[in-house]
Amino acid sequence: MRIAILPTPEDIAVVAADRIQSLLERKPSAVLGLATGSTPLPLYDELTKRYEAGEISFANTQSFNLDEYVGLPEDHPEGYANFIHRFLVDRVDFPKGAAHGPNVWTGDNDQAAANYDKAIRDAGGIDLQILGIGADGHIGFNEPGGSFASRTHVDVLTEQTRRDNARFFDGDITKVPTHCITQGLGTIMESGEALLIATGAGKAEAVRQLVEGAISARWPATILQMHPNAIVLLDEPAAQGLELADFYREVWVKHQA
Protein backbone atom coordinates (compact mmCIF):
# COMPACT_ATOMS: atom_id res chain seq x y z
CA MET A 1 0.00 0.00 0.00
CA ARG A 2 1.38 3.40 -1.00
CA ILE A 3 0.25 6.51 0.84
CA ALA A 4 0.23 10.08 -0.50
CA ILE A 5 -0.56 13.02 1.80
CA LEU A 6 -1.35 16.03 -0.36
CA PRO A 7 -2.37 19.62 0.40
CA THR A 8 -5.87 19.77 -1.09
CA PRO A 9 -8.59 17.62 -2.68
CA GLU A 10 -7.69 19.26 -5.97
CA ASP A 11 -4.08 18.06 -5.65
CA ILE A 12 -5.44 14.58 -4.95
CA ALA A 13 -7.62 14.82 -8.06
CA VAL A 14 -4.59 15.59 -10.22
CA VAL A 15 -2.64 12.57 -8.94
CA ALA A 16 -5.66 10.27 -9.34
CA ALA A 17 -6.41 11.59 -12.82
CA ASP A 18 -2.77 11.07 -13.83
CA ARG A 19 -3.09 7.39 -12.92
CA ILE A 20 -6.33 6.99 -14.86
CA GLN A 21 -4.94 8.85 -17.86
CA SER A 22 -1.81 6.70 -17.85
CA LEU A 23 -3.94 3.55 -17.70
CA LEU A 24 -6.12 4.64 -20.64
CA GLU A 25 -3.07 5.55 -22.69
CA ARG A 26 -1.72 2.04 -22.14
CA LYS A 27 -5.08 0.32 -22.43
CA PRO A 28 -7.87 2.39 -24.03
CA SER A 29 -10.35 -0.42 -23.39
CA ALA A 30 -9.69 -0.43 -19.64
CA VAL A 31 -12.50 -1.15 -17.20
CA LEU A 32 -12.94 1.44 -14.46
CA GLY A 33 -14.70 0.95 -11.14
CA LEU A 34 -16.41 4.19 -10.16
CA ALA A 35 -17.28 5.47 -6.69
CA THR A 36 -20.02 7.95 -5.89
CA GLY A 37 -20.57 10.45 -3.09
CA SER A 38 -18.83 13.78 -2.65
CA THR A 39 -15.24 12.54 -2.27
CA PRO A 40 -14.51 11.70 -5.94
CA LEU A 41 -16.17 14.83 -7.38
CA PRO A 42 -12.91 16.82 -7.72
CA LEU A 43 -11.46 13.84 -9.60
CA TYR A 44 -14.43 13.70 -11.96
CA ASP A 45 -14.09 17.45 -12.57
CA GLU A 46 -10.39 16.98 -13.35
CA LEU A 47 -11.11 14.11 -15.77
CA THR A 48 -13.77 16.23 -17.49
CA LYS A 49 -11.33 19.12 -17.83
CA ARG A 50 -8.74 16.83 -19.41
CA TYR A 51 -11.34 15.38 -21.79
CA GLU A 52 -12.38 18.88 -22.87
CA ALA A 53 -8.71 19.70 -23.48
CA GLY A 54 -8.33 16.60 -25.66
CA GLU A 55 -5.94 14.93 -23.24
CA ILE A 56 -8.01 11.86 -22.36
CA SER A 57 -10.72 9.75 -23.97
CA PHE A 58 -13.16 7.19 -22.61
CA ALA A 59 -14.40 6.18 -26.06
CA ASN A 60 -13.40 2.52 -25.62
CA THR A 61 -13.84 2.32 -21.86
CA GLN A 62 -16.39 0.54 -19.68
CA SER A 63 -17.25 1.39 -16.08
CA PHE A 64 -18.91 -0.39 -13.17
CA ASN A 65 -20.34 1.49 -10.20
CA LEU A 66 -19.47 0.25 -6.75
CA ASP A 67 -23.04 0.14 -5.53
CA GLU A 68 -26.66 1.26 -5.83
CA TYR A 69 -29.44 2.06 -3.39
CA VAL A 70 -32.39 -0.31 -3.20
CA GLY A 71 -35.81 1.32 -3.01
CA LEU A 72 -35.36 4.57 -4.93
CA PRO A 73 -37.28 5.18 -8.17
CA GLU A 74 -35.14 4.55 -11.23
CA ASP A 75 -35.18 8.26 -12.09
CA HIS A 76 -34.29 9.49 -8.59
CA PRO A 77 -31.44 12.04 -8.89
CA GLU A 78 -29.58 10.53 -5.92
CA GLY A 79 -29.61 7.04 -7.38
CA TYR A 80 -26.03 6.21 -8.16
CA ALA A 81 -26.63 5.33 -11.80
CA ASN A 82 -27.97 8.85 -12.29
CA PHE A 83 -25.26 10.36 -10.10
CA ILE A 84 -22.41 8.93 -12.16
CA HIS A 85 -23.99 10.04 -15.43
CA ARG A 86 -24.48 13.55 -14.06
CA PHE A 87 -20.98 14.01 -12.70
CA LEU A 88 -18.83 12.07 -15.19
CA VAL A 89 -20.31 9.82 -17.87
CA ASP A 90 -22.45 12.43 -19.64
CA ARG A 91 -19.65 15.01 -19.45
CA VAL A 92 -17.12 12.93 -21.40
CA ASP A 93 -17.21 10.45 -24.29
CA PHE A 94 -18.23 7.17 -22.69
CA PRO A 95 -20.04 5.07 -25.31
CA LYS A 96 -23.76 4.64 -24.81
CA GLY A 97 -24.39 1.68 -22.51
CA ALA A 98 -20.77 1.46 -21.34
CA ALA A 99 -21.48 2.69 -17.80
CA HIS A 100 -22.91 -0.10 -15.67
CA GLY A 101 -24.51 -0.30 -12.25
CA PRO A 102 -26.45 -2.91 -10.28
CA ASN A 103 -29.99 -3.28 -11.62
CA VAL A 104 -32.04 -2.93 -8.45
CA TRP A 105 -35.35 -2.66 -10.32
CA THR A 106 -35.74 -6.27 -11.52
CA GLY A 107 -37.70 -7.49 -8.50
CA ASP A 108 -35.00 -10.04 -7.59
CA ASN A 109 -32.09 -8.25 -5.97
CA ASP A 110 -30.13 -11.38 -5.08
CA GLN A 111 -30.14 -12.44 -8.72
CA ALA A 112 -29.34 -8.89 -9.82
CA ALA A 113 -26.30 -8.91 -7.53
CA ALA A 114 -25.10 -12.23 -8.93
CA ASN A 115 -25.64 -10.98 -12.48
CA TYR A 116 -23.63 -7.83 -11.76
CA ASP A 117 -20.70 -9.77 -10.35
CA LYS A 118 -20.74 -11.96 -13.46
CA ALA A 119 -20.87 -8.90 -15.72
CA ILE A 120 -17.69 -7.58 -14.10
CA ARG A 121 -15.96 -10.92 -14.65
CA ASP A 122 -17.22 -11.12 -18.23
CA ALA A 123 -15.76 -7.66 -18.91
CA GLY A 124 -12.36 -8.99 -17.87
CA GLY A 125 -12.41 -7.54 -14.37
CA ILE A 126 -11.85 -4.01 -13.16
CA ASP A 127 -8.47 -2.54 -14.05
CA LEU A 128 -8.68 0.41 -11.66
CA GLN A 129 -11.19 0.76 -8.85
CA ILE A 130 -11.83 4.20 -7.36
CA LEU A 131 -12.82 4.02 -3.70
CA GLY A 132 -13.88 6.29 -0.90
CA ILE A 133 -14.10 5.31 2.74
CA GLY A 134 -16.89 5.77 5.26
CA ALA A 135 -16.36 7.09 8.76
CA ASP A 136 -16.97 3.53 9.99
CA GLY A 137 -14.41 2.11 7.56
CA HIS A 138 -16.77 0.81 4.90
CA ILE A 139 -15.77 0.69 1.23
CA GLY A 140 -18.52 0.37 -1.30
CA PHE A 141 -21.41 -0.33 1.04
CA ASN A 142 -19.56 -3.17 2.79
CA GLU A 143 -20.44 -2.33 6.37
CA PRO A 144 -18.48 -3.47 9.45
CA GLY A 145 -18.77 -7.17 10.23
CA GLY A 146 -19.11 -8.33 6.63
CA SER A 147 -17.12 -11.11 5.00
CA PHE A 148 -13.78 -10.31 3.42
CA ALA A 149 -14.61 -12.91 0.75
CA SER A 150 -18.00 -11.41 -0.15
CA ARG A 151 -19.12 -11.07 -3.73
CA THR A 152 -21.58 -8.47 -5.03
CA HIS A 153 -24.57 -8.77 -2.72
CA VAL A 154 -27.58 -7.15 -1.10
CA ASP A 155 -26.64 -5.40 2.15
CA VAL A 156 -28.20 -3.35 4.93
CA LEU A 157 -26.98 0.20 5.50
CA THR A 158 -26.02 1.11 9.05
CA GLU A 159 -27.58 4.09 10.79
CA GLN A 160 -24.15 5.80 10.70
CA THR A 161 -23.96 5.46 6.91
CA ARG A 162 -27.53 6.67 6.52
CA ARG A 163 -26.81 9.69 8.74
CA ASP A 164 -23.69 10.45 6.69
CA ASN A 165 -25.66 10.26 3.44
CA ALA A 166 -28.69 12.19 4.65
CA ARG A 167 -27.05 15.37 3.34
CA PHE A 168 -27.97 14.17 -0.16
CA PHE A 169 -31.61 13.74 0.90
CA ASP A 170 -32.40 17.18 2.34
CA GLY A 171 -30.83 16.18 5.65
CA ASP A 172 -33.66 13.70 6.29
CA ILE A 173 -32.40 10.24 7.30
CA THR A 174 -35.87 8.78 6.76
CA LYS A 175 -35.46 9.42 3.03
CA VAL A 176 -32.19 7.47 2.86
CA PRO A 177 -32.73 3.84 1.75
CA THR A 178 -32.00 1.09 4.24
CA HIS A 179 -30.68 -1.44 1.68
CA CYS A 180 -28.32 -1.51 -1.27
CA ILE A 181 -26.53 -3.75 -3.73
CA THR A 182 -22.78 -3.40 -3.42
CA GLN A 183 -19.69 -4.95 -4.89
CA GLY A 184 -18.32 -7.30 -2.25
CA LEU A 185 -14.92 -7.01 -0.64
CA GLY A 186 -13.82 -10.08 -2.56
CA THR A 187 -14.93 -8.42 -5.79
CA ILE A 188 -13.10 -5.19 -4.97
CA MET A 189 -9.92 -7.07 -4.09
CA GLU A 190 -9.79 -8.54 -7.60
CA SER A 191 -9.27 -5.09 -9.18
CA GLY A 192 -5.93 -4.50 -10.84
CA GLU A 193 -5.42 -1.30 -8.88
CA ALA A 194 -7.35 0.07 -5.90
CA LEU A 195 -7.22 3.87 -5.68
CA LEU A 196 -8.74 5.10 -2.40
CA ILE A 197 -9.37 8.80 -1.76
CA ALA A 198 -10.11 10.20 1.70
CA THR A 199 -10.50 13.85 2.62
CA GLY A 200 -11.51 15.68 5.76
CA ALA A 201 -11.02 15.17 9.48
CA GLY A 202 -14.17 13.07 9.70
CA LYS A 203 -12.33 10.26 7.91
CA ALA A 204 -9.18 10.43 10.08
CA GLU A 205 -9.97 7.50 12.37
CA ALA A 206 -11.05 5.27 9.49
CA VAL A 207 -7.85 6.20 7.64
CA ARG A 208 -5.74 5.44 10.71
CA GLN A 209 -7.29 2.00 10.95
CA LEU A 210 -6.96 1.43 7.19
CA VAL A 211 -3.27 2.27 7.06
CA GLU A 212 -1.88 1.38 10.49
CA GLY A 213 -4.52 -0.77 12.18
CA ALA A 214 -5.01 -4.51 12.23
CA ILE A 215 -6.90 -6.19 9.41
CA SER A 216 -10.34 -6.56 10.89
CA ALA A 217 -13.95 -6.93 9.77
CA ARG A 218 -14.69 -4.11 12.22
CA TRP A 219 -12.96 -1.81 9.68
CA PRO A 220 -13.72 -3.35 6.26
CA ALA A 221 -11.30 -1.13 4.34
CA THR A 222 -8.37 -2.72 6.17
CA ILE A 223 -8.57 -5.63 3.72
CA LEU A 224 -6.83 -3.28 1.27
CA GLN A 225 -3.62 -3.88 3.22
CA MET A 226 -3.61 -7.21 1.38
CA HIS A 227 -4.19 -5.70 -2.08
CA PRO A 228 -1.06 -5.99 -4.25
CA ASN A 229 -1.55 -2.55 -5.82
CA ALA A 230 -3.39 -0.18 -3.49
CA ILE A 231 -2.79 3.56 -3.39
CA VAL A 232 -4.29 5.80 -0.71
CA LEU A 233 -4.57 9.53 -1.45
CA LEU A 234 -5.19 11.74 1.58
CA ASP A 235 -5.42 15.40 2.46
CA GLU A 236 -3.83 16.66 5.67
CA PRO A 237 -7.00 16.50 7.82
CA ALA A 238 -7.68 12.89 6.82
CA ALA A 239 -4.05 11.97 7.58
CA GLN A 240 -3.88 13.64 10.97
CA GLY A 241 -4.10 10.39 12.95
CA LEU A 242 -1.23 8.62 11.18
CA GLU A 243 1.81 8.01 13.38
CA LEU A 244 4.09 7.40 10.41
CA ALA A 245 2.88 10.34 8.29
CA ASP A 246 6.38 11.77 7.79
CA PHE A 247 7.64 8.41 6.58
CA TYR A 248 4.78 8.11 4.07
CA ARG A 249 5.57 11.58 2.75
CA GLU A 250 9.24 10.66 2.30
CA VAL A 251 8.46 7.41 0.53
CA TRP A 252 5.93 9.07 -1.80
CA VAL A 253 8.37 11.83 -2.81
CA LYS A 254 11.17 9.36 -3.47
CA HIS A 255 8.83 7.08 -5.40
CA GLN A 256 7.87 10.00 -7.68
CA ALA A 257 11.48 11.03 -8.26
Side-chain angles (χ1 to χ4, degrees), residues 95-116:
K96 184 176 177 61
H100 309 287
N103 187 348
V104 299
W105 302 280
T106 66
D108 186 342
N109 287 323
D110 289 324
Q111 187 60 54
N115 291 345
Y116 194 62

Side-chain angles (χ1 to χ4, degrees), residues 3 9 12 35-42 66 80 131-141 143 160-161 163-165 167-168 196-213 218-219 221-222 232-242:
I3 316 298
I12 290 172
T36 52
S38 57
T39 298
L41 293 183
L66 265 173
Y80 286 152
L131 297 165
I133 187 170
D136 62 0
H138 71 254
I139 51 174
F141 273 140
E143 300 283 19
Q160 176 67 56
T161 295
R163 281 200 304 268
D164 290 345
N165 287 4
R167 67 189 188 277
F168 299 112
L196 186 143
I197 300 171
T199 56
K203 303 296 178 68
E205 177 60 17
V207 166
R208 186 181 73 84
Q209 295 290 341
L210 161 65
V211 177
E212 296 178 347
R218 170 61 185 85
W219 299 93
T222 57
V232 177
L233 304 178
L234 308 170
D235 67 0
E236 292 287 349
Q240 64 184 328
L242 296 177

Side-chain angles (χ1 to χ4, degrees), residues 27-244:
K27 185 180 179 182
S29 62
V31 179
L32 300 178
L34 300 180
T36 52
S38 57
T39 298
L41 293 183
L43 168 58
Y44 297 155
D45 287 342
E46 177 67 20
L47 291 173
T48 299
K49 182 174 72 174
R50 294 185 187 200
Y51 163 72
E52 292 172 344
E55 298 171 1
I56 192 170
S57 173
F58 301 86
N60 297 297
T61 305
Q62 290 189 74
S63 69
F64 287 87
N65 284 0
L66 265 173
D67 38 40
E68 181 60 85
Y69 289 118
V70 170
L72 294 180
E74 195 165 357
D75 62 352
H76 195 289
E78 295 306 326
Y80 286 152
N82 297 318
F83 177 102
I84 209 66
H85 274 269
R86 185 163 70 249
F87 288 105
L88 181 63
V89 172
D90 291 347
R91 300 169 70 191
V92 297
D93 60 340
F94 268 94
K96 184 176 177 61
H100 309 287
N103 187 348
V104 299
W105 302 280
T106 66
D108 186 342
N109 287 323
D110 289 324
Q111 187 60 54
N115 291 345
Y116 194 62
D117 212 75
K118 182 177 184 299
I120 293 172
R121 292 195 302 272
D122 289 348
I126 291 172
D127 293 292
L128 186 150
Q129 176 67 63
I130 300 164
L131 297 165
I133 187 170
D136 62 0
H138 71 254
I139 51 174
F141 273 140
N142 293 279
E143 300 283 19
S147 168
F148 282 156
S150 61
R151 309 304 305 178
T152 302
H153 61 283
V154 182
D155 212 337
V156 175
L157 301 179
T158 65
E159 183 177 349
Q160 176 67 56
T161 295
R162 294 176 68 231
R163 281 200 304 268
D164 290 345
N165 287 4
R167 67 189 188 277
F168 299 112
F169 293 85
D170 303 318
D172 186 350
I173 191 174
T174 66
K175 295 180 180 179
V176 183
T178 59
H179 291 72
C180 66
I181 291 180
T182 182
Q183 286 186 38
L185 294 174
T187 311
I188 291 168
M189 287 293 288
E190 291 175 354
S191 59
E193 177 176 333
L195 185 63
L196 186 143
I197 300 171
T199 56
K203 303 296 178 68
E205 177 60 17
V207 166
R208 186 181 73 84
Q209 295 290 341
L210 161 65
V211 177
E212 296 178 347
I215 297 174
S216 167
R218 170 61 185 85
W219 299 93
T222 57
I223 189 61
L224 292 175
Q225 293 179 27
M226 300 297 292
H227 195 290
N229 189 19
I231 297 176
V232 177
L233 304 178
L234 308 170
D235 67 0
E236 292 287 349
Q240 64 184 328
L242 296 177
E243 294 183 10
L244 300 178

